[in-house]
Amino acid sequence: MRFHSPQKLKTIADLIGSAFVGPEDFEILGTNEIHMVKPGDIVFVNHPKYYDKALNSAATIILIDKEVECPEGKALLVSDDPFRDFNKINTHFTRIYNFTEELHDVEIGEGTKIHHSAVIGNNVKIGKNTLIFPNVVIGDRTEIGDNVIIQSNTVLGGDAFYYRKLNGNFDRLISVGNVVIENNVEIGNGCTIDRGVTDSTIIGEGSVLDNQIQIGHDTVIGKKCLIASQVGIAGCCIIGDEVTLWGQVGIASGNKIEAGSVLLGKTGVNRDLEKGTYIGMFAEDFKTYLKKEVKLRNLK
């Protein structure tokens, strides 16, 4: 999430009531999660296991639960609860409406047709010659390109599935990102595409999605991908251009699939994959799988 204008370290520290390490006027440009951070961003960390990763990331401001040695050129915000204060910062700069108010600051391009039963949030942009079917829900800040088709009962921009356990209950990390649907994308019936926590969930130009597909927060789908029914992609995944995912493929959080890959039906992914064709619960190379099957069948 980018702030509307740069903020100062002391301003953010005062907002959340935290101590800080660094010059009072140290510039802050926004917030982001660890896998997406850029210089000027705040990233939060609340476990010693991940201190080094956060401190050595591209982020230049680390919201942390213990004062540690601050890397040169960076700053710290020292909080007793970074998760809580990350939410506080994000919701201070991005208001959450969740369809409770209909401000409808919506831009709609020429030739676009939207069924009257569709529900559209605030600060939404829709391009030209796009077709939106009945009962589609489009959340706040969603951006949809030209020549897009979104079929019935699809939801764009729902909350990210991102929680921590706190006092025996689940505590949500509030989503202030958005969904971006690029030009010439087709999305089938009953799909759910969650908005980013602090960045964008992106469906690349020319990609086609079948029915009943779930795409998690901050995932990026490349251009001209083909995704069949009942595929589930967790958050923070990167799917390269022209990847094909057949029915019921499941991809765990934070994995990358190289461009041009094909994942056959019910393939499970728990690691990054180079370009290839894969099958099976743990994404086995298809040719290797076939050779193994031949050997097994020839056993006597």
Side-chain angles (χ1 to χ4, degrees):
M1 178 191 69
R2 276 319 209 215
F3 299 145
H4 295 301
S5 60
Q7 303 294 312
K8 304 301 183 185
L9 181 64
K10 187 177 187 304
T11 303
I12 301 299
D14 289 345
L15 171 65
I16 62 177
S18 75
F20 63 90
V21 176
E24 290 188 1
D25 61 351
F26 193 95
E27 189 172 76
I28 304 176
L29 304 179
T31 68
N32 226 324
E33 293 182 88
I34 188 68
H35 65 289
M36 299 291 287
V37 286
K38 300 176 283 292
D41 284 344
I42 300 171
V43 68
F44 85 91
V45 60
N46 56 1
H47 195 289
K49 180 179 177 180
Y50 303 109
Y51 283 178
D52 286 345
K53 185 175 182 180
L55 291 165
N56 295 316
S57 71
T60 41
I61 305 92
I62 295 84
L63 175 59
I64 191 169
D65 59 354
K66 178 182 178 181
E67 186 170 335
V68 296
E69 184 176 351
C70 183
E72 185 177 354
K74 299 192 177 187
L76 305 180
L77 291 161
V78 184
S79 161
D80 64 337
D81 190 342
F83 190 103
R84 175 200 66 206
D85 287 339
F86 195 70
N87 272 340
K88 188 171 183 179
I89 295 166
N90 287 335
T91 54
H92 178 81
F93 290 97
T94 302
R95 186 171 175 186
I96 304 299
Y97 295 102
N98 286 334
F99 303 102
T100 57
E101 299 180 38
E102 293 189 9
L103 303 182
H104 278 176
D105 182 12
V106 178
E107 298 179 20
I108 300 175
E110 183 179 357
T112 286
K113 293 180 171 56
I114 302 173
H115 192 271
H116 65 82
S117 65
V119 178
I120 300 177
N122 300 305
N123 302 313
V124 170
K125 297 179 181 179
I126 303 174
K128 298 180 290 186
N129 302 314
T130 285
L131 182 60
I132 297 175
F133 282 47
N135 300 318
V136 168
V137 178
I138 300 173
D140 294 348
R141 301 178 300 282
T142 298
E143 299 178 14
I144 299 171
D146 301 336
N147 307 308
V148 171
I149 297 173
I150 303 172
Q151 296 194 41
S152 297
N153 300 312
T154 282
V155 178
L156 306 180
D159 286 331
F161 188 72
Y162 195 137
Y163 294 82
R164 65 169 173 174
K165 201 73 174 289
L166 180 67
N167 299 323
N169 297 308
F170 292 108
D171 183 30
R172 180 192 294 276
L173 190 64
I174 297 170
S175 307
V176 297
N178 72 338
V179 171
V180 176
I181 308 296
E182 296 184 350
N183 297 338
N184 304 307
V185 168
E186 297 187 18
I187 301 175
N189 298 285
C191 296
T192 50
I193 302 175
D194 295 341
R195 67 179 181 265
V197 171
T198 50
D199 213 293
S200 298
T201 304
I202 300 172
I203 310 300
E205 182 174 0
S207 289
V208 177
L209 280 63
D210 195 2
N211 304 320
Q212 297 179 329
I213 291 166
Q214 157 66 17
I215 297 176
H217 66 89
D218 298 290
T219 281
V220 177
I221 306 293
K223 301 180 187 301
K224 297 182 181 178
C225 291
L226 185 67
I227 304 179
S229 180
Q230 298 183 7
V231 164
I233 305 175
C236 310
C237 293
I238 306 295
I239 310 299
D241 296 342
E242 299 185 31
V243 166
T244 299
L245 306 176
W246 291 116
Q248 297 187 343
V249 164
I251 303 176
S253 177
N255 288 300
K256 298 179 181 179
I257 311 298
E258 190 172 344
S261 294
V262 177
L263 276 62
L264 300 175
K266 296 189 176 183
T267 296
V269 179
N270 63 350
R271 68 188 190 282
D272 293 350
L273 296 181
E274 298 178 352
K275 182 179 179 180
T277 300
Y278 297 90
I279 192 171
M281 184 178 295
F282 299 108
E284 187 175 2
D285 174 75
F286 185 54
K287 289 183 179 178
T288 302
Y289 167 82
L290 290 178
K291 290 175 182 178
K292 182 182 70 175
E293 286 296 303
V294 170
K295 290 179 180 179
L296 288 172
R297 292 185 184 189
N298 287 335
L299 288 175
K300 295 183 179 178

